C-alpha cells in the first residue's frame, strides 16, 4: 500500500511559536497536541499529515430578517475534519467568539473523541458568529433554518450529523431536523441528535455529557484511591454540561462547593443548594446575584479550594496565567479545550491529575450515537438501557486510557490521544489513499 510514503511537513501548519497568540488559538493548540502524541507513538507520517488538515470546510453567509425589519447577515461554518471511521459528528455552536480556527479545532477534537470511545464516527463541528442572548426566539429560529439550509449540501444521516453545543439545545435541533426534512421531502430524524423526544430524540441525551463526566470521575477516584463522598467539587460553567454534572455529583453525595456562569461564581464550603439555585436561575439571567452564597469573581473562581475542578465553559479558561493558582488535585474537563497546553505543563509539574476533554466529555456524543442508532432502526430504548450502555462505554474507554498512560508513563491527555490515534492510524492505512 502506498500509505508508507513519508509525508512532507505541511506548508500550511507552520512550526508553532510560544506566543500569547499561540495560547489563544485553539487550532494551534490542537495541532501541537496532535504532533506531540503522533511523534511519541510513532504514528505513520501519512496518517499524521492527514489529521493535520480538515477534510471539508464550508463557510456560509446566513441572511436573517431581524424583528425590526432589517436584514442581518451572519457568518457560519460547518467543518468535517475526518470521516475515515464513519460519518462526521459534532455539535453546532452559537457564540460571538466563534471563529474558523475555533471550529477547526473543535472538529478535530470530535474526531479524536469519537475514536477514543470507539464510536463509528469521524469528527465535525459547526458554528455561527452571533450573540444568541441578544436575539429573539423568532430571529434564532430563522437563523437556524437558513444556516441549516446552507449546510444541507454536506449534512445528512450518513454524512454528517450535527448536535447541540454551546448555546444550542433540543429546540434548535428540532428546527434543524424540520428544515432538513422539508428540503428532502420526508421526515429524517437521523440527520441530527439532541432532538426533543417527541421527534426521535433519545432518553438520557440531555444529561449524558454530565453523566459521562461523573462516570470518569468515579473511575478516577477508584484508581487514585479517593472517596467521592468525602470530596468537594467546583464546576465552572452552568450550561448543559456544568449544571447536569453538578446535579449528578450532588445526587451521588459529592459536595458541590462552587459553581459559576458567565456573570460570576458562587461558593459555599458547606455545599451549595443546587435545587434552590436552579429555581433562582429560572427567573434570572445569571446566578451571580443569588443571595444565599458567597460571590466569587470569574477570575478567582478557578482558585477556590476544592478536590475536583470541572471546567465546563469555554476553551482556554485554564491557562498559563492561572494554572499555578489552582488548588484542586483533580481536573475533569467537561468543556472542549478548557486547558491550554501551556497550562497542562504547569499542572503536570504540580502533580495535578487531569482527565482530558476527549474522554471526560464523551458521554454526550456517545448518547448521540445511541440516538442516531435508535432513529435509524426506528426502535427506541429505555433510559435504564441507555445509561447502562453509556456507563459501559465510558468506563471501558477510561480504563483503556488510564492503563495506557500508566504503562507509557504519560499524562492522560497523551494516553487518550494514543488510544484515539491508534484507531485513526489503522483506519487510514487500511483504507489507503484515493486515487
Ligand atoms: N457538542 C458535544 C461535544 O462537543 C456533542 C456532540 C455530538 O453529540 O455530536 O461533544
Amino acid at each position: 500500500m502506498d500509505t508508507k510514503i513519508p509525508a512532507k511537513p505541511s506548508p500550511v501548519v507552520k512550526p508553532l511559536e510560544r506566543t500569547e497568540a499561540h495560547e489563544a488559538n485553539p487550532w494551534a493548540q490542537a495541532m501541537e497536541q496532535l504532533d506531540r502524541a503522533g511523534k511519541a507513538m510513532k504514528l505513520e507520517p501519512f496518517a499524521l499529515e492527514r489529521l493535520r488538515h480538515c477534510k471539508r470546510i464550508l463557510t456560509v453567509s446566513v441572511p436573517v430578517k431581524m424583528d425590526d425589519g432589517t436584514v442581518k447577515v451572519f457568518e457560519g461554518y460547518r467543518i468535517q475534519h475526518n470521516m475515515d471511521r464513519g460519518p462526521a459528528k459534532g455539535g453546532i455552536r452559537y457564540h460571538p467568539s466563534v471563529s474558523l480556527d475555533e471550529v477547526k479545532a473543535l472538529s478535530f477534537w470530535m474526531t479524536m473523541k469519537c475514536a477514543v470511545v470507539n464510536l463509528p464516527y469521524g469528527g465535525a463541528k459547526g458554528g455561527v458568529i452571533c450573540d444568541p442572548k441578544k436575539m429573539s426566539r423568532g430571529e434564532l429560529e430563522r437563523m437556524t433554518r437558513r444556516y441549516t439550509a446552507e449546510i444541507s449540501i454536506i449534512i445528512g444521516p450518513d454524512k454528517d450529523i450535527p448536535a447541540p453545543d454551546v448555546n444550542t439545545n433540543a429546540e434548535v435541533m428540532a428546527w434543524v431536523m424540520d428544515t432538513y426534512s422539508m428540503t428532502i421531502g420526508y421526515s429524517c430524524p437521523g440527520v441530527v441528535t439532541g432532538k426533543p423526544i417527541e421527534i426521535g430524540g433519545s432518553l438520557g441525551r440531555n444529561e449524558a455529557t454530565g453523566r459521562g463526566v461523573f462516570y470518569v470521575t468515579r473511575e478516577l477516584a477508584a484508581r487514585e484511591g479517593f472517596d467521592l463522598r468525602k470530596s468537594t467539587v467546583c464546576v465552572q460553567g452552568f450550561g448543559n454540561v456544568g449544571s447536569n454534572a453538578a446535579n449528578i455529583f450532588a445526587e451521588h453525595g459529592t459536595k458541590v462547593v462552587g459553581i459559576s456562569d458567565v456573570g460570576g461564581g458562587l461558593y459555599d464550603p458547606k455545599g451549595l443548594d443546587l435545587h434552590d439555585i436552579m429555581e433562582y436561575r429560572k427567573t434570572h439571567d445569571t446566578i451571580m446575584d443569588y443571595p444565599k452564597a458567597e460571590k466569587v469573581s470569574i477570575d478567582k473562581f478557578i482558585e477556590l479550594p476544592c478536590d475536583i475542578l470541572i471546567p465546563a465553559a469555554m476553551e482556554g479558561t485554564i491557562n498559563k496565567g492561572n494554572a499555578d493558582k489552582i488548588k484542586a488535585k483533580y481536573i475533569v474537563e467537561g468543556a472542549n479545550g478548557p486547558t491550554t497546553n501551556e497550562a497542562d505543563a504547569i499542572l503536570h509539574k504540580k502533580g495535578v491529575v487531569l482527565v482530558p476533554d476527549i474522554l471526560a466529555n464523551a458521554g454526550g456524543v456517545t448518547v448521540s450515537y445511541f440516538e442516531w442508532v435508535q432513529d435509524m432502526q426506528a426502535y427506541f430504548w429505555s433510559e435504564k438501557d441507555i445509561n447502562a450502555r453509556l456507563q459501559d462505554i465510558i468506563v471501558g474507554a477510561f480504563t483503556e486510557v488510564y492503563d495506557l498512560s500508566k504503562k507509557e508513563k504519560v499524562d492522560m491527555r497523551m494516553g487518550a490521544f494514543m488510544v484515539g490515534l491508534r484507531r485513526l492510524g489503522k483506519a487510514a492505512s487500511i483504507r489507503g489513499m484515493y486515487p
Side-chain angles (χ1 to χ4, degrees):
M1 214 181 297
D2 275 355
T3 55
K4 296 276 187 268
I5 305 166
K8 289 206 180 100
S10 160
V12 179
V13 185
K14 296 199 191 80
L16 301 164
E17 289 168 46
R18 307 248 119 250
T19 60
E20 297 290 320
H22 173 268
E23 194 180 13
N25 184 322
W27 178 245
Q29 293 275 317
M31 290 303 97
E32 186 174 56
Q33 294 169 351
L34 170 65
D35 286 345
R36 204 180 285 152
K39 204 169 144 202
M41 63 180 287
K42 301 194 176 62
L43 184 69
E44 262 189 60
F46 150 82
L48 178 62
E49 183 56 14
R50 289 203 41 204
L51 290 167
R52 296 173 109 245
H53 300 266
C54 297
K55 179 179 173 66
R56 262 180 214 127
I57 299 181
L58 178 63
T59 301
V60 293
S61 60
V62 186
V64 178
K65 263 196 205 111
M66 305 304 278
D67 291 345
D68 65 5
T70 60
V71 170
K72 200 166 166 184
V73 182
F74 296 89
E75 180 154 306
Y77 310 101
R78 184 71 190 173
I79 300 182
Q80 297 165 345
H81 172 262
N82 184 279
M83 294 187 176
D84 284 351
R85 305 180 64 255
K89 186 86 191 79
I92 296 170
R93 171 174 297 201
Y94 291 167
H95 200 275
S97 71
V98 162
S99 70
L100 190 59
D101 272 355
E102 183 194 42
V103 183
K104 281 169 72 179
L106 291 164
S107 71
F108 164 74
W109 285 322
M110 286 308 303
T111 299
M112 293 306 309
K113 195 185 301 187
C114 293
V116 170
V117 289
N118 206 7
L119 304 178
Y121 284 143
K125 203 81 173 196
V128 179
I129 308 170
C130 65
D131 189 349
K133 305 239 150 64
K134 296 199 182 119
M135 294 167 72
S136 70
R137 187 167 173 274
E139 288 169 343
L140 274 176
E141 175 171 358
R142 293 191 290 278
M143 186 183 79
T144 301
R145 287 187 180 278
R146 183 59 188 253
Y147 169 71
T148 305
E150 294 295 341
I151 65 166
S152 68
I153 51 174
I154 61 168
I155 63 170
D158 300 314
K159 299 196 273 186
D160 176 359
I161 306 120
D165 197 74
V166 174
N167 290 329
T168 56
N169 56 18
E171 184 177 41
V172 174
M173 298 307 116
W175 295 329
V176 173
M177 182 270 200
D178 184 70
T179 306
Y180 184 82
S181 298
M182 287 295 113
T183 64
I184 58 170
Y186 55 89
S187 288
C188 184
V191 68
V192 69
T193 60
K195 300 175 292 295
I197 306 288
E198 296 79 358
I199 55 168
S202 176
L203 295 167
R205 174 62 186 87
N206 193 43
E207 306 79 28
T209 313
R211 201 171 285 286
V213 168
F214 173 73
Y215 290 150
V216 294
T217 315
R218 194 169 62 184
E219 291 310 297
L220 183 73
R223 296 300 197 99
E224 297 276 314
F226 65 94
D227 185 350
L228 268 189
R229 281 203 205 90
K230 292 189 187 125
S231 303
T232 54
V233 61
C234 277
V235 182
Q236 180 202 43
F238 210 53
N240 171 283
V241 183
S243 60
N244 280 300
N247 279 326
I248 295 167
F249 273 98
E251 268 167 33
H252 288 83
T254 308
K255 207 188 278 174
V256 181
V257 294
I259 55 168
S260 74
D261 67 10
V262 280
L266 297 174
Y267 177 65
D268 187 342
K270 295 198 292 298
L272 294 161
D273 183 345
L274 292 176
H275 184 74
D276 198 44
I277 297 170
M278 298 288 255
E279 282 302 309
Y280 176 88
R281 233 263 300 245
K282 282 185 189 156
T283 50
H284 298 79
D285 286 343
T286 154
I287 55 174
M288 195 174 61
D289 293 321
Y290 175 77
K292 291 179 240 166
E294 188 186 323
K295 267 190 218 180
V296 193
S297 73
I298 288 275
D299 293 346
K300 291 277 172 229
F301 183 80
I302 224 134
E303 303 170 21
L304 287 175
C306 62
D307 301 307
I308 306 155
L309 174 64
I310 299 181
M314 297 290 279
E315 300 92 62
T317 56
I318 303 178
N319 48 56
K320 68 168 184 263
N322 61 17
D324 208 29
K325 299 182 193 133
I326 287 176
K327 298 194 184 62
K329 175 99 184 40
Y330 304 98
I331 296 178
V332 183
E333 295 186 326
N336 293 309
T339 312
T340 66
N341 300 340
E342 290 77 355
D344 248 355
I346 298 169
L347 295 168
H348 191 68
K349 245 193 227 144
K350 267 165 67 107
V352 175
V353 179
L354 182 148
V355 187
D357 46 7
I358 53 173
L359 169 63
N361 70 36
V365 72
T366 301
V367 178
S368 273
Y369 166 59
F370 297 162
E371 179 173 331
W372 177 77
V373 169
Q374 293 170 85
D375 289 338
M376 302 301 257
Q377 299 180 342
Y379 179 73
F380 290 85
W381 315 342
S382 72
E383 189 159 2
K384 196 166 147 248
D385 255 8
I386 285 158
N387 289 342
R389 288 179 201 239
L390 170 64
Q391 177 165 293
D392 262 10
I393 290 185
I394 297 296
V395 171
F398 177 90
T399 307
E400 200 174 356
V401 169
Y402 189 89
D403 290 349
L404 187 69
S405 46
K406 287 282 167 213
K407 185 168 156 238
E408 298 291 334
K409 299 189 175 54
V410 294
D411 63 24
M412 288 181 77
R413 190 179 316 278
M414 179 67 94
F417 263 79
M418 287 175 158
V419 167
L421 288 178
R422 206 152 56 188
R423 293 200 175 105
L424 285 157
K426 275 191 195 144
S429 71
I430 289 167
R431 284 185 62 155
M433 206 163 63
Y434 173 86

XYZ file of all heavy atoms in Angstrom, residues 89-92 110 113 125 161-166 193 205 209 336 361-362 364-366 368, ligand 1:
173
model
N -19.384 13.738 12.905
C -20.319 14.001 14.006
C -19.818 15.149 14.854
O -18.624 15.222 15.157
C -20.407 12.730 14.880
C -21.432 12.800 15.977
C -22.803 12.388 15.496
C -23.904 12.683 16.488
N -24.324 14.106 16.479
N -20.719 16.023 15.247
C -20.317 17.105 16.141
C -21.357 18.209 16.204
O -22.211 18.329 15.326
N -21.265 19.006 17.238
C -22.288 19.998 17.548
C -22.252 21.249 16.696
O -21.402 21.431 15.813
N -23.229 22.118 16.990
C -23.317 23.450 16.386
C -23.289 24.455 17.525
O -24.054 24.326 18.488
C -24.639 23.633 15.604
C -24.708 22.658 14.422
C -24.771 25.083 15.118
C -26.088 22.637 13.759
N -13.481 16.423 17.964
C -14.562 15.442 17.787
C -14.024 14.161 17.138
O -14.422 13.060 17.508
C -15.706 16.021 16.934
C -16.604 17.037 17.626
S -17.313 16.565 19.229
C -18.195 15.069 18.829
N -12.284 12.411 19.897
C -13.221 11.931 20.925
C -13.933 10.660 20.470
O -14.006 9.680 21.201
C -14.243 13.047 21.174
C -15.060 12.914 22.420
C -16.118 14.020 22.493
C -15.518 15.419 22.486
N -16.536 16.475 22.721
N -17.782 19.912 13.237
C -18.312 20.951 14.126
C -18.888 22.059 13.278
O -18.452 22.288 12.144
C -17.209 21.532 15.010
C -17.735 22.169 16.272
C -18.014 21.097 17.313
C -18.389 21.644 18.650
N -18.278 20.594 19.675
N -23.678 14.474 11.018
C -24.843 14.566 11.909
C -24.585 15.602 13.004
O -23.845 15.343 13.955
C -25.131 13.176 12.540
C -25.279 12.116 11.451
C -26.387 13.221 13.422
C -24.289 10.994 11.535
N -25.178 16.804 12.895
C -24.993 17.821 13.931
C -25.677 17.460 15.260
O -26.432 16.491 15.347
C -25.621 19.078 13.329
C -25.720 18.824 11.871
C -25.908 17.346 11.737
N -25.412 18.278 16.264
C -25.938 18.067 17.627
C -25.820 19.398 18.371
O -25.243 20.350 17.850
C -25.113 16.989 18.322
N -26.332 19.465 19.597
C -26.180 20.713 20.358
C -24.739 20.948 20.818
O -23.961 20.008 20.971
C -27.078 20.507 21.585
C -27.925 19.319 21.293
C -27.154 18.484 20.328
N -24.406 22.185 21.017
C -23.146 22.595 21.643
C -23.443 23.897 22.397
O -24.603 24.148 22.742
C -22.048 22.749 20.574
C -20.649 22.754 21.177
O -20.153 21.697 21.590
O -20.039 23.849 21.271
N -22.452 24.735 22.599
C -22.650 25.959 23.379
C -23.797 26.803 22.786
O -23.792 27.116 21.583
C -21.343 26.789 23.428
C -21.570 28.133 24.116
C -20.247 25.998 24.122
N -28.834 14.946 16.228
C -29.102 14.339 17.543
C -29.268 15.433 18.587
O -28.957 16.589 18.335
C -27.978 13.364 17.952
O -26.754 14.087 18.012
C -27.861 12.206 16.983
N -30.271 11.835 26.715
C -29.298 12.618 25.944
C -28.957 13.934 26.631
O -27.805 14.358 26.650
C -29.810 12.887 24.517
C -28.915 13.817 23.684
C -27.536 13.220 23.468
N -26.605 14.119 22.803
C -25.833 15.009 23.414
N -25.907 15.163 24.738
N -24.977 15.750 22.729
N -23.720 14.214 28.848
C -22.346 14.693 28.985
C -21.980 14.796 30.471
O -20.915 14.334 30.900
C -22.149 16.049 28.276
O -22.736 15.963 26.978
C -20.687 16.398 28.134
N -14.739 21.502 25.934
C -13.735 21.128 24.939
C -12.601 22.143 24.998
O -12.847 23.351 24.919
C -14.350 21.131 23.541
C -15.397 20.042 23.377
O -15.134 18.887 23.692
N -16.582 20.415 22.917
N -15.650 14.324 28.394
C -16.974 14.820 27.980
C -17.578 14.007 26.831
O -18.530 14.439 26.178
C -16.939 16.330 27.677
C -16.174 16.675 26.412
O -16.213 15.942 25.427
N -15.492 17.803 26.414
N -17.054 12.789 26.627
C -17.524 11.964 25.502
C -18.894 11.345 25.742
O -19.468 10.717 24.841
C -16.503 10.873 25.193
N -21.703 12.801 25.945
C -22.694 13.466 25.091
C -22.751 12.828 23.715
O -23.824 12.409 23.249
N -21.604 12.722 23.082
C -21.616 12.161 21.722
C -21.938 10.661 21.767
O -22.495 10.110 20.810
C -20.298 12.472 20.958
C -19.128 11.663 21.485
C -20.493 12.229 19.464
N -21.650 10.012 22.875
C -21.976 8.579 22.982
C -23.499 8.383 22.957
O -24.007 7.533 22.213
C -21.356 7.979 24.268
O -19.947 8.164 24.215
C -21.670 6.498 24.393
N -25.543 10.574 21.780
C -25.925 10.998 20.429
C -25.862 9.811 19.464
O -26.736 9.627 18.611
C -24.960 12.075 19.907
O -25.379 13.357 20.301
N -21.225 19.154 21.307
C -20.974 17.928 22.004
C -19.496 17.640 22.066
O -18.692 18.547 21.939
C -21.788 16.767 21.458
C -21.541 16.406 20.043
C -22.480 15.345 19.486
O -23.284 14.818 20.236
O -22.407 15.077 18.290
O -19.077 16.557 22.307
